[in-house]
Amino acid sequence: MADFLQILVTAVAVGSLYALIALGYTMVYGILKFINFAHSDVFVLGAWTGFTASTLLISRFSISGPPPLWLGPLVLVTAMVVCGLVGFTIERLAYKPLRKAPRLNVLITAIGVSLLLQNVGQLQFPIAPDLALPFGASPKRMPELLPDAALLTMSFGDNQVVIGLVDVIIVVSAITLMLALEVLVYRTRLGAAMRAVSFNTDNAALMGIPVDRVISITFVTGAMLAAAAGFLYSMKYPGLNQPAHEVWVLLGLKAFVAAVVGGIGNVRGAVLGGFLIALIEFMGQFVWARTLDQWFSTSMAPTLRDVYVFAVLIIVLLVKPTGLLGTPIREKV
Amino acid sequence: MPLLEVKNLSVAYGAIKALHGVDLSVEQGQILTLIGCNGAGKTTTLRAISGMVRPSAGQVLLDGKPVTGLKPHEIVRLGMSHCPEGRGIFANLTVDENLALGAFMRRDHAAVNQDRQRVFTLFPRLKERLKQNAGTLSGGEQQMLAIGRALLARPRLLLLDEPSLGLAPQLVQTIFRIITEINQQGVTILLVEQNAHMALNVAHRAVVLETGAVAMSGDAKALASSDEVKKAYLGHG
Ligand SMILES: Nc1ncnc2c1ncn2[C@@H]1O[C@H](COP(=O)(O)OP(=O)(O)OP(=O)(O)O)[C@@H](O)[C@H]1O
Ligand SMILES: [Mg+2]
């Protein structure tokens, strides 16, 4: 029981991060109808920018011991701003010239941008002792911005379930951002314009909507959410792999699966998909893998957790190809 | 000076030449109807005027000033509203949101509200459907929404592409009555129609398009009684 709850806590925290990343995939797909493969690299950039910013701030203000409370939010905002600017630049330079090109060209460009970010991220021009720009090719450890405190400890006999401060902060920040996005998309003029552009670009322009600017804003918003996810992730898992590491690729892929399972193009679907994928990933590992290990007396459980995610993807695509909340597009003529 | 002037307009889609040298002009306060068979280039003419396709040659002048090369959203701001073929409703948005997008670039909120009331007077049905997804409206209701939404941009020039398409005869009558009403409130209209009979009836002037070029033009009543038009477009004569 205690194990189960403990895993549930982790699944919710990680799920909220998948959801944040999935939102960026889904928003860009909704508006431009292509998968922005460079999105997961923006997430990585968010984590590394968070690392660089906090390391710099800690040495600049000679902080020793537990960092002040303002540091975390400041680093979060920095990462979001940096990634927002990078997202803006990517869209302007790489995707906007291809607005009228076949989708395949854009897709291949996205893969190119992804590779570019991964490799530029590994360059290292030293800027301070033990700090290089961009990020270098070796793993680093995220400075501790939060006390490693348990917010709530529940006991079940000998076992304990710990809800850590970091989990709560992740979930609260992620949900705050999702609510902000929900308000933006469904309650504002700009959001209505985004949804109009996503439905039909030509007709949106006839309303006087500056389509290019709306697309730009959508990109930047997605990049900022990914940045937040990257930074929050690095608070929970402080060992940062180098920017092209497969661990990052897999995380991005799972967030992408979350977007597809939820119904790509659907904002609420991305959130649902994010939580669902994490639950299945962690619960699958917990429940199903144990059974497997007992049956076959192996210990392959941990290595199988990605299999559950992709199995779910396949099942959802077979049963409901548009994803859980996706609707096929119908136009009345 | 005419409100809208189109000079020597040519448009090509790749190798397909859709328009070759179309000239037309719409006087302030009038209704000009553009009629012609399927594929004659009527929609293409409207799309070139509102900036949705780039002409290969020729000019579009609004108030005597060239607008060729401007983006569609910039042209809307100059007072031209284009209600496209197929209505261009955003089916994933509510009726209310569709209407709000019609006034997207306006900041005069009080006046927008007045215009909304005007639209509701023209189309009371829309008021009952505000919170409904626009995709769930009937075809006729969607047409009302499209026209109402275009009016919320408070255009001086309204381009309508086959507003009667697919509507029951009674609703066609209503739509044409409303087009006249809108025109009497001071909006200049360029009306593309398959229903030549009704269109010639409400319009002041008419242009007949054949395979991408102007075949005839002149006073709407005079054209309606000309033998060629009767034979080709009015189905008798
Ligand atoms: N996107 C396009 N690509 C290629 N050809 C096109 C395109 N749009 C229109 N055309 C061609 O241009 C010509 C004019 O088309 P247009 O839509 O302007 O005709 P229309 O007069 O509006 O016809 P209808 O009454 O059927 O709506 C047609 O031959 C059509 O096939
Ligand atoms: Mg047409």
Side-chain angles (χ1 to χ4, degrees):
Chain A
M1 182 63 184
D3 289 1
F4 178 83
L5 285 180
Q6 189 66 63
I7 285 185
L8 191 65
V9 171
T10 308
V12 169
V14 173
S16 63
L17 298 180
Y18 286 164
L20 279 184
I21 310 170
L23 281 168
Y25 278 116
T26 230
M27 287 172 74
V28 168
Y29 182 87
I31 223 156
L32 290 176
K33 305 290 177 277
F34 85 99
I35 307 298
N36 178 18
F37 278 113
H39 186 61
S40 61
D41 302 289
V42 175
F43 157 72
V44 179
L45 180 68
W48 276 94
T49 309
F51 164 77
T52 311
S54 31
T55 313
L56 280 177
L57 285 168
I58 285 172
S59 77
R60 172 76 181 72
F61 294 100
S62 320
I63 297 164
S64 53
L69 278 182
W70 51 263
L71 193 61
L74 180 64
V75 173
L76 175 69
V77 171
T78 309
M80 289 174 75
V81 169
V82 169
C83 289
L85 289 174
V86 169
F88 176 83
T89 315
I90 292 174
E91 198 277 325
R92 258 308 132 88
L93 298 185
Y95 301 145
K96 189 170 172 230
L98 300 177
R99 213 40 65 76
K100 300 220 152 49
R103 295 299 86 180
L104 187 61
N105 302 20
V106 195
L107 210 64
I108 292 168
T109 306
I111 295 173
V113 172
S114 168
L115 290 174
L116 181 79
L117 289 179
Q118 287 180 11
N119 289 291
V120 169
Q122 291 179 67
L123 297 177
Q124 35 194 337
F125 304 104
I127 51 164
D130 207 29
L131 204 58
L133 266 186
F135 312 118
S138 50
K140 291 273 165 46
R141 193 168 175 83
M142 183 75 183
E144 252 172 43
L145 301 185
L146 281 178
D148 184 14
L151 213 60
L152 182 67
T153 310
M154 291 179 284
S155 299
F156 292 85
D158 287 345
N159 298 319
Q160 282 190 330
V161 178
V162 180
I163 299 185
L165 183 57
V166 65
D167 294 316
V168 174
I169 290 207
I170 286 178
V171 174
V172 169
S173 319
I175 288 183
T176 308
L177 288 169
M178 289 178 221
L179 288 178
L181 184 75
E182 167 88 11
V183 169
L184 171 70
V185 173
Y186 292 102
R187 296 272 178 279
T188 66
R189 224 169 57 99
L190 175 62
M194 284 174 168
R195 285 178 289 140
V197 171
S198 123
F199 189 78
N200 187 318
T201 314
D202 282 350
N203 291 336
L206 289 184
M207 302 293 106
I209 296 171
V211 170
D212 283 331
R213 201 177 316 155
V214 170
I215 291 176
S216 237
I217 293 172
T218 308
F219 245 86
V220 169
T221 310
M224 288 171 78
L225 294 179
F231 168 66
L232 292 171
Y233 181 85
S234 69
M235 298 232 289
K236 184 163 173 62
Y237 301 103
L240 286 184
N241 288 296
Q242 55 98 348
H245 198 277
E246 63 181 38
V247 163
W248 293 126
V249 177
L250 202 56
L251 279 167
L253 208 53
K254 283 180 200 160
F256 170 59
V257 169
V260 174
V261 164
I264 191 126
N266 184 309
V267 168
R268 287 164 189 166
V271 173
L272 175 69
F275 283 108
L276 196 68
I277 287 300
L279 277 179
I280 287 164
E281 180 182 355
F282 287 94
M283 287 303 155
Q285 183 181 8
F286 178 72
V287 183
W288 178 229
R290 275 187 183 189
T291 323
L292 278 186
D293 279 357
Q294 276 170 9
W295 285 353
F296 300 108
S297 47
T298 58
S299 59
M300 55 197 273
T303 55
L304 276 178
R305 59 190 251 202
D306 303 330
V307 174
Y308 311 126
V309 170
F310 294 104
V312 168
L313 174 68
I314 292 169
I315 292 168
V316 168
L317 287 184
L318 284 176
V319 177
K320 196 162 185 294
T322 52
L324 295 176
L325 298 189
T327 41
I329 294 166
R330 292 173 276 118
E331 245 175 299
K332 230 181 236 172
V333 206
Chain B
M1 180 181 37
L3 178 57
L4 175 77
E5 216 175 343
V6 171
K7 289 185 182 163
N8 188 32
L9 189 69
S10 298
V11 174
Y13 297 105
I16 301 164
K17 294 208 169 46
L19 296 183
H20 354 239
V22 169
D23 290 295
L24 60 82
S25 64
V26 192
E27 295 297 330
Q28 175 78 48
Q30 294 208 331
I31 301 180
L32 176 94
T33 184
L34 188 59
I35 55 179
C37 303
N38 291 118
K42 308 179 294 293
T43 298
T44 304
T45 308
L46 293 196
R47 288 167 62 88
I49 292 172
S50 67
M52 294 173 80
V53 293
R54 198 161 282 246
S56 52
Q59 259 198 326
V60 177
L61 306 166
L62 189 66
D63 300 312
K65 291 187 215 68
V67 296
T68 337
L70 293 186
K71 298 243 174 71
H73 74 264
E74 295 164 332
I75 296 181
V76 180
R77 280 155 211 243
L78 300 175
M80 183 197 297
S81 200
H82 178 180
C83 198
E85 187 170 44
R87 306 180 189 114
I89 290 301
F90 301 111
N92 57 337
L93 271 63
T94 64
V95 170
D96 204 7
E97 288 171 331
N98 269 276
L99 288 172
L101 285 181
F104 183 80
M105 71 298 160
R106 291 177 63 183
R107 291 290 174 279
D108 47 341
H109 298 293
V112 169
N113 241 328
Q114 274 178 16
D115 289 351
R116 268 171 75 93
Q117 297 314 318
R118 245 180 69 205
V119 167
F120 293 147
T121 323
L122 288 174
F123 305 110
R125 187 68 66 84
L126 292 183
K127 199 172 178 176
E128 302 159 17
R129 299 277 191 274
L130 279 179
K131 294 297 160 213
Q132 195 168 321
N133 256 6
T136 62
L137 293 182
S138 78
E141 289 165 345
Q142 289 193 6
Q143 191 62 64
M144 296 175 194
L145 176 58
I147 298 176
R149 188 180 66 179
L151 287 177
L152 280 174
R154 197 174 261 195
R156 291 178 296 141
L157 174 65
L158 179 60
L159 314 183
L160 293 172
D161 199 339
E162 303 207 24
S164 76
L165 186 75
L167 302 188
Q170 204 178 353
L171 201 51
V172 173
Q173 298 274 355
T174 312
I175 291 283
F176 275 99
R177 179 175 53 73
I178 285 168
I179 290 172
T180 315
E181 237 173 279
I182 293 168
N183 176 245
Q184 280 162 357
Q185 292 171 2
V187 181
T188 307
I189 294 175
L190 174 48
L191 171 68
V192 162
E193 259 302 333
Q194 288 283 346
N195 190 335
H197 181 74
M198 293 292 285
L200 289 170
N201 198 18
V202 299
H204 301 94
R205 298 179 53 78
V207 168
V208 179
L209 217 53
E210 266 169 28
T211 56
V214 174
M216 277 178 278
S217 68
D219 182 77
K221 306 288 170 300
L223 274 184
S225 53
S226 85
D227 287 340
E228 289 129 292
V229 170
K230 270 187 186 162
K231 208 160 143 190
Y233 301 103
L234 298 177
H236 55 80

